[in-house]
Structures are given as C-alpha cells and as structure tokens.
Amino acid sequence: MGLLSKKDTGAEADFETEFHFPTSDKTLLIFNRNPELGKVKTRLAGGVGDEAALEIYKFLLKHTVSITQNLRVDKQVFYSEKIRSEDLWDTEKYIKKLQHGQDLGARMQQAFSCAFSDGYRKAIIIGSDMYDLSQSDLEEAFAALDHHDFVIGPAQDGGYYLLGMKFLKPELFQHKNWGTETVLEDTLQDLKSESVKLLEVRNDVDYYEDIKDIDAFKPFLPDHLK
C-alpha cells in the first residue's frame, strides 16, 4: 500500500504509485510497453505484420506475468506511455509506475535510483517480452546478488535481458548505443572492476527468425507463415 497520485495517465481511474512501503529488501523492475498496434515489436512486425506482432507481444506479456506473479519480491511495472489499472498486472501484486527519461538508459537509471531510494537492497530489471525466461531464472538472479554486486543475463544479440545490482552505478546507463550488439560489451567494460555474475545466454524475441521454430507462437502467425 502506498500514496497514490494521478500522473500523466490519461484516465481518471489509472494511478501511479509514487510511494509505497517495501515488503521485501528485493524488488523486480519490469519495463512494459503499452500494447498498441504498430507501436510494439516493430522489428518483428517487419516479418509478421503489425497485427501478429501485437498479438505476440500480448502473449509475451501474459508469459511475463506468469513467471513473476509468484516471485517472493516486491514487483514494479513501469509503463512506457500510460498506466492502466484494469489490465494483466494485478494491482494487488504489482506496483504501477511510469517510465521517465529521454532514452532507455535514462529510464532504467531512474527506475533503479527510485528503488534504492525506497530502501531496497537488491534490484533487478527485465523487459516484458522474454519468452526464454522462467521464474527459476529470476530466483537464480536474485540469489546471485547474495555473493556478487551485479548480475547480468546476456542476450544472443549482444544486449542483455536482465540487469541486477546492489547499488546504483550510473555509468551503466550512459554512452550506450541502445538496441545494438555493443550494449553488453560496453556494460561489462563498465563493470570490469566490480563483482559480476553472468547468467546463461538467452534469446529474446525481436525478429521472425527468433520465433519461427517455436510452436507456442504459431497460432499468432499469418497463414502464409504457419
């Protein structure tokens, strides 16, 4: 429970949690794009079309809920555009906030900064579109922070699907070419003097080639791709 205020939501019943009382020393930060046609999974849409990309993203959102809802940490969902009170993210389980910042790095830094200001000792961030991720992976990541100051889940495309830390290191969010194959390498360079745990490499969903051999995605594909 926390203090709520209407903020940039565009809907009278949709609120941002500006302050809450932590129930754990750990928090999971989930970055979530508002699911709108033509605005999500745009690279994937180049191969499957806008409508299929939107349905796939909604499916991935449901998967993210399924692997996080029972995690025994405080969970915060950061919306890209507008907070929705009536959606997949149960307000009894998820704290709802907005992303703030000019680019991905600034938005992530702001989310981590707020988490540590709220008193959390361990914070991990993920996106909301990783099919190749499970609750046990997240539990492993939090456990890694018992013995390391940072944890990273490397993605096959040269980025990362998970980043966790016990204190804020602003360099991790600055001078990065977000969305390119250099992000992981540059991030690890910033962490070369720190204690870091690397998790298993995972594949994220950006292109049709990432999902074409996975049966779970076939119901969402246009007929000519099935």
Side-chain angles (χ1 to χ4, degrees):
M1 179 180 293
L3 303 175
L4 303 178
S5 71
K6 196 170 109 174
K7 185 175 182 181
D8 232 1
T9 61
E12 191 170 321
D14 296 340
F15 298 92
E16 177 175 6
T17 308
E18 287 199 319
F19 176 78
H20 66 279
F21 297 102
T23 63
S24 167
D25 67 346
K26 301 182 286 289
T27 186
L28 180 68
L29 314 173
I30 305 167
F31 266 35
N32 167 49
R33 283 187 178 276
N34 289 79
E36 298 178 12
L37 186 67
K39 295 185 178 181
V40 295
K41 309 309 295 180
T42 53
R43 289 177 290 183
L44 176 63
V48 305
D50 286 341
E51 291 186 4
L54 176 59
E55 293 307 310
I56 288 170
Y57 184 63
K58 290 179 179 179
F59 169 73
L60 291 168
L61 288 178
K62 292 178 181 178
H63 173 73
T64 305
V65 171
S66 73
I67 66 170
T68 60
Q69 61 185 348
N70 296 319
L71 204 62
R72 299 181 67 179
V73 304
D74 284 358
K75 297 171 283 287
Q76 306 183 47
V77 178
F78 287 78
Y79 290 74
S80 61
E81 302 293 338
K82 298 176 185 290
I83 293 173
R84 297 304 186 196
S85 58
E86 300 296 331
D87 61 5
L88 292 172
W89 308 99
D90 184 350
T91 53
E92 294 296 319
K93 297 180 179 179
Y94 297 92
I95 300 155
K96 297 189 174 187
K97 296 190 174 186
L98 285 171
Q99 298 175 28
H100 296 286
Q102 293 299 312
D103 63 12
L104 178 59
R107 294 192 294 270
M108 289 195 294
Q109 181 174 339
Q110 191 267 348
F112 274 109
S113 178
C114 287
F116 291 123
S117 294
D118 286 343
Y120 292 105
R121 299 178 64 187
K122 299 176 183 177
I124 287 176
I125 196 167
I126 61 170
S128 52
D129 58 355
M130 275 292 297
Y131 183 69
D132 194 15
L133 193 63
S134 68
Q135 179 177 328
S136 61
D137 293 326
L138 297 174
E139 291 169 343
E140 178 187 355
F142 276 108
L145 290 175
D146 289 339
H147 307 288
H148 301 81
D149 290 331
F150 296 87
V151 59
I152 294 182
Q156 289 183 358
D157 63 3
Y160 54 78
Y161 60 85
L162 178 151
L163 175 65
M165 61 192 69
K166 291 195 290 192
F167 59 86
L168 184 65
K169 191 174 178 71
E171 303 96 296
L172 300 180
F173 310 105
Q174 301 167 0
H175 310 299
K176 304 291 187 298
N177 293 317
W178 301 107
T180 71
E181 69 280 358
T182 65
V183 172
L184 176 63
E185 179 182 354
D186 292 342
T187 301
L188 291 175
Q189 183 66 22
D190 291 334
L191 292 171
K192 62 183 180 180
S193 61
E194 306 288 357
S195 172
V196 183
K197 169 68 175 179
L198 289 178
L199 303 177
E200 184 177 342
V201 176
R202 302 283 187 187
N203 185 40
D204 52 11
V205 176
D206 283 325
Y207 299 97
Y208 169 63
E209 289 71 23
D210 297 324
I211 65 170
K212 65 184 181 66
D213 297 322
I214 303 176
D215 289 341
F217 292 103
K218 289 183 178 178
F220 308 108
L221 297 176
D223 289 340
H224 71 279
L225 292 177
K226 292 182 179 178

